Amino acid sequence: MTSNGTNGSAPAAHRFDPNFTQHVLDTMGPNVTPRHREVFGALIRHIHDFSREVELTIDEWMAGVQFVNAVGQIYSKTRNEAHRISDILGLESLVDEIAHTIVKDGQVDPTSSSILGPFWSPNAPFREPGSSIVQDGVPPNGRVAKMHGVIRNMMTGEPIPGAVFDFWQASSNGKYDFQDPDNQSPNNLRGKFRADENGVYTLYCLHPTAYSLPTDGPSFQLLTLLDRHPMRPAHIHIMVTHPDYMGCTTQLYPKDDPWLETDTVFAVKDDLIVDFQPLEGDDKATLELVYNVTLAPREYQGRK
Amino acid sequence: MTSNGTNGSAPAAHRFDPNFTQHVLDTMGPNVTPRHREVFGALIRHIHDFSREVELTIDEWMAGVQFVNAVGQIYSKTRNEAHRISDILGLESLVDEIAHTIVKDGQVDPTSSSILGPFWSPNAPFREPGSSIVQDGVPPNGRVAKMHGVIRNMMTGEPIPGAVFDFWQASSNGKYDFQDPDNQSPNNLRGKFRADENGVYTLYCLHPTAYSLPTDGPSFQLLTLLDRHPMRPAHIHIMVTHPDYMGCTTQLYPKDDPWLETDTVFAVKDDLIVDFQPLEGDDKATLELVYNVTLAPREYQGRK
């Protein structure tokens, strides 16, 4: 956080009107909140600096205008294109990092956060401990895994009974329930599980499958211009919460996925890479995943 | 234009992953065009620097995502909201300046350019020299002006016969023809006029009226957050072209308009402020505006 309007760095030298940006900023009235003044001030400065730096042409600006209009036009209840564009540009991952930066103090760290993504649902039901989120039957190529672990206090190592483990994932066709109404019923591959008195959660899920972002629309146009692939590594989403702790929203990735290094939304972190193991003696699953979660107490002050 | 990826300035110090932005940039593939690499590279760096600088929160990021979706959703054939947002942020005026910067050489300068805005039409008809663009009759509070002038070569001062003078303006209710189908027929208050052998154009138009940008939708929400008014000063639009000259798209503003200093799209320049005078002895008009236009020859090399 900076304390002055220039953010500590001199504006880049350029051959354009040196007063223009300040004039735009000065039209903000006296009733702007301090935070809005800070955020919009910085936004306007960066947009102007970007444009001068690359000497943005009128055609490029107009292409950008049309792009923004197109992003909103393709919006639907099941397609949040602006969210996806911000992911492709790394913005959601960066904002997630900013929100969750905890000053390291040499002790154990909490489980890393990662992006929420556009597919979390507030409506996922609570399910019985040890039950399966695979509600619609195992899909072709699907492999069932038993997943379990302990949710612990970062400072004391004590388990956190009653913590809520909210889990969601795409099916083996790469689609989430509400993207795939022909094949999946609502809340298929979603569910909330409450940790027991030992902080343990247990559920059955699918081994996740890598998938492509949609290959139509503005986000794919952008990826094409950037000569980038549209693939997300296989992943499962979890959101772990308890009233006394800072919640953790994150994603877990099988270690052998080929897209880990180049995840198109930049959401992979080292401690989120997991190792599914063969499982024997369980007639409901052929794989096992053990994953323990560490939460920081809400009163922890290392966080900004 | 800079010649390296860092644009000559060191990244701002911050407490976040120092490698993140470079990682995002490095996912661009080998087939990106040099210009796309430059523009998107700078765009991503500025978006990231902005976010770190203000420590953008998850709620603020999500508000931005929803805002971009809303901008596109309100788009229609007669409402280009992304264009308007870019105008409010000063971006179209800045891009216009970048496109038209001509290194001063101590001689006369060409007529300043200003923004095109969202209301130019490619379909405006040619009209007879000296005719009126007020096709639907003079509206209430309307005042008719006779406008004329000479279109000249910046280097020689010679007139430019055959130059095309394309003119459009809002009616006295602040609306352009295609915003106002109940009151205006297509091409009302629009027309193209060809300069005569002396480079002279003559037409009848309305004294322009200040108007407000729409007070619904995302652009007005943004203005409200910035505690800014939505007013544009009264103006007329002109686009003057000839095959041998660099065209000039600009706007002209009556000198007594109260919004000149705080035009909400930042499109006013000193040499575009004009003085309507009383006119006697013309039964078609009560005002006169003389405005001469100066164009730079296409081969002029002072321009970048």
Side-chain angles (χ1 to χ4, degrees), chain B residues 139-206:
Chain B
N141 308 317
R143 290 179 290 163
V144 177
K146 178 179 184 178
M147 179 176 180
H148 58 98
V150 184
I151 303 168
R152 289 198 173 89
N153 179 322
M154 177 182 88
M155 303 305 288
T156 66
E158 296 288 316
I160 308 177
V164 174
F165 191 89
D166 185 358
F167 180 111
W168 67 106
Q169 68 179 166
S171 188
S172 55
N173 64 359
K175 294 189 174 173
Y176 294 83
D177 56 353
F178 53 68
Q179 295 179 295
D180 193 26
D182 292 345
N183 298 302
Q184 298 183 59
S185 54
N187 295 315
N188 186 45
L189 300 174
R190 300 181 187 276
K192 291 178 184 152
F193 296 83
R194 201 174 291 282
D196 69 13
E197 67 277 14
N198 299 313
V200 172
Y201 72 92
T202 306
L203 60 90
Y204 288 86
C205 61
L206 295 179

Side-chain angles (χ1 to χ4, degrees), chain A:
Chain A
M1 197 84 68
T2 57
S3 57
N4 62 59
T6 61
N7 293 283
S9 59
H14 57 74
R15 62 205 181 86
F16 306 109
D17 179 355
N19 301 314
F20 181 73
T21 299
Q22 193 59 49
H23 172 60
V24 173
L25 296 177
D26 287 347
T27 58
M28 277 194 259
N31 298 314
V32 182
T33 70
R35 180 60 177 167
H36 283 152
R37 191 177 296 277
E38 178 183 26
V39 171
F40 287 110
L43 182 67
I44 290 167
R45 277 189 292 99
H46 276 288
I47 289 172
H48 288 198
D49 285 346
F50 155 73
S51 306
R52 286 185 287 245
E53 207 172 289
V54 303
E55 300 201 352
L56 196 68
T57 71
I58 289 177
D59 286 349
E60 289 165 344
W61 158 75
M62 184 55 79
V65 162
Q66 290 168 341
F67 187 84
V68 171
N69 281 322
V71 165
Q73 285 175 275
I74 207 169
Y75 174 88
S76 74
K77 275 177 67 178
T78 59
R79 182 161 187 169
N80 188 329
E81 196 77 358
H83 188 150
R84 186 165 285 129
I85 295 287
S86 79
D87 286 359
I88 288 171
L89 297 176
L91 183 57
E92 187 179 4
S93 272
L94 180 55
V95 169
D96 173 68
E97 183 198 2
I98 291 169
H100 295 98
T101 291
I102 295 197
V103 176
K104 310 297 191 200
D105 59 5
Q107 301 186 42
V108 66
D109 294 320
T111 298
S112 288
S113 65
S114 187
I115 66 176
L116 177 67
F119 299 113
W120 177 73
S121 167
N123 303 319
F126 273 97
R127 300 191 191 280
E128 286 299 306
S131 67
S132 178
I133 62 164
V134 189
Q135 294 286 304
D136 291 344
V138 180
N141 309 317
R143 290 179 291 163
V144 176
K146 179 179 184 179
M147 180 177 180
H148 58 98
V150 184
I151 303 168
R152 289 197 174 89
N153 179 321
M154 177 181 87
M155 303 305 287
T156 66
E158 296 289 314
I160 308 176
V164 175
F165 191 89
D166 186 357
F167 180 111
W168 66 105
Q169 67 179 167
S171 188
S172 55
N173 64 0
K175 293 189 173 171
Y176 293 82
D177 57 352
F178 54 68
Q179 293 179 295
D180 193 26
D182 292 344
N183 298 302
Q184 298 183 59
S185 54
N187 294 316
N188 186 46
L189 301 174
R190 300 180 186 276
K192 292 176 185 152
F193 296 84
R194 201 174 291 280
D196 69 14
E197 66 277 15
N198 300 312
V200 172
Y201 73 91
T202 307
L203 60 89
Y204 289 86
C205 61
L206 295 179
H207 184 286
T209 303
Y211 62 78
S212 170
L213 302 189
T215 53
D216 63 339
S219 56
F220 190 66
Q221 287 171 16
L222 178 59
L223 288 172
T224 303
L225 286 178
L226 298 177
D227 192 22
R228 283 171 43 183
H229 67 70
M231 296 301 295
R232 289 227 61 208
H235 61 277
I236 58 184
H237 294 270
I238 61 175
M239 179 190 287
V240 187
T241 54
H242 184 283
D244 298 338
Y245 295 82
M246 291 189 265
C248 178
T249 299
T250 195
Q251 303 183 23
L252 305 176
Y253 306 89
K255 70 174 188 178
D256 53 353
D257 189 279
W259 310 104
L260 292 177
E261 293 295 322
T262 59
D263 176 14
T264 198
V265 305
F266 311 103
V268 178
K269 296 174 186 175
D270 288 347
D271 70 319
L272 303 177
I273 295 173
V274 297
D275 190 7
F276 284 81
Q277 291 289 338
L279 177 65
E280 298 194 353
D282 186 326
D283 60 3
K284 290 185 286 186
T286 59
L287 294 169
E288 180 176 32
L289 175 60
V290 180
Y291 193 76
N292 300 319
V293 175
T294 305
L295 298 184
R298 202 166 277 283
E299 69 272 15
Y300 181 66
Q301 295 297 315
R303 195 176 183 186
K304 81 175 175 88

Side-chain angles (χ1 to χ4, degrees), chain B residues 57-73:
Chain B
T57 71
I58 289 176
D59 287 349
E60 290 166 345
W61 158 76
M62 185 54 79
V65 163
Q66 290 167 341
F67 186 83
V68 172
N69 281 322
V71 165
Q73 284 174 274

Side-chain angles (χ1 to χ4, degrees), chain B:
Chain B
M1 196 84 68
T2 57
S3 58
N4 63 57
T6 61
N7 292 284
S9 60
H14 57 74
R15 61 205 183 87
F16 306 108
D17 179 354
N19 302 314
F20 181 73
T21 299
Q22 192 59 49
H23 173 59
V24 174
L25 297 177
D26 288 346
T27 59
M28 278 195 258
N31 299 314
V32 182
T33 69
R35 179 60 176 168
H36 283 151
R37 191 176 297 277
E38 178 183 26
V39 171
F40 286 111
L43 182 66
I44 290 167
R45 278 189 293 98
H46 276 288
I47 290 172
H48 288 197
D49 285 347
F50 155 72
S51 305
R52 285 185 288 245
E53 208 172 289
V54 303
E55 300 201 353
L56 196 68
T57 71
I58 289 176
D59 287 349
E60 290 166 345
W61 158 76
M62 185 54 79
V65 163
Q66 290 167 341
F67 186 83
V68 172
N69 281 322
V71 165
Q73 284 174 274
I74 207 168
Y75 173 88
S76 74
K77 276 176 67 178
T78 58
R79 182 161 186 168
N80 189 330
E81 195 77 358
H83 188 149
R84 186 167 284 128
I85 295 288
S86 78
D87 286 359
I88 288 171
L89 297 176
L91 182 57
E92 187 179 5
S93 272
L94 180 55
V95 169
D96 173 68
E97 182 196 4
I98 291 168
H100 294 97
T101 291
I102 296 196
V103 177
K104 310 295 192 203
D105 59 6
Q107 302 185 43
V108 66
D109 294 321
T111 298
S112 288
S113 65
S114 187
I115 66 175
L116 177 67
F119 298 113
W120 177 73
S121 167
N123 303 319
F126 273 95
R127 299 191 191 279
E128 286 300 305
S131 67
S132 177
I133 62 165
V134 189
Q135 295 286 306
D136 292 344
V138 180
N141 308 317
R143 290 179 290 163
V144 177
K146 178 179 184 178
M147 179 176 180
H148 58 98
V150 184
I151 303 168
R152 289 198 173 89
N153 179 322
M154 177 182 88
M155 303 305 288
T156 66
E158 296 288 316
I160 308 177
V164 174
F165 191 89
D166 185 358
F167 180 111
W168 67 106
Q169 68 179 166
S171 188
S172 55
N173 64 359
K175 294 189 174 173
Y176 294 83
D177 56 353
F178 53 68
Q179 295 179 295
D180 193 26
D182 292 345
N183 298 302
Q184 298 183 59
S185 54
N187 295 315
N188 186 45
L189 300 174
R190 300 181 187 276
K192 291 178 184 152
F193 296 83
R194 201 174 291 282
D196 69 13
E197 67 277 14
N198 299 313
V200 172
Y201 72 92
T202 306
L203 60 90
Y204 288 86
C205 61
L206 295 179
H207 184 286
T209 303
Y211 61 78
S212 170
L213 302 190
T215 54
D216 63 339
S219 55
F220 190 67
Q221 287 171 17
L222 178 59
L223 287 172
T224 303
L225 286 178
L226 298 177
D227 192 23
R228 283 171 44 183
H229 68 71
M231 297 301 294
R232 290 227 60 208
H235 60 279
I236 58 183
H237 294 270
I238 61 173
M239 180 189 288
V240 187
T241 53
H242 185 283
D244 299 336
Y245 295 82
M246 292 189 266
C248 178
T249 300
T250 196
Q251 302 183 23
L252 305 176
Y253 305 89
K255 70 175 188 179
D256 54 353
D257 190 278
W259 309 105
L260 291 177
E261 293 295 322
T262 59
D263 176 15
T264 198
V265 305
F266 310 104
V268 178
K269 296 174 187 177
D270 288 346
D271 70 318
L272 303 177
I273 296 173
V274 297
D275 191 7
F276 283 81
Q277 293 286 340
L279 177 65
E280 298 194 353
D282 186 326
D283 61 3
K284 291 185 287 186
T286 58
L287 295 170
E288 179 176 32
L289 175 61
V290 180
Y291 194 75
N292 300 320
V293 175
T294 305
L295 299 183
R298 201 167 276 286
E299 68 274 15
Y300 180 67
Q301 295 299 313
R303 194 177 183 185
K304 80 174 176 92

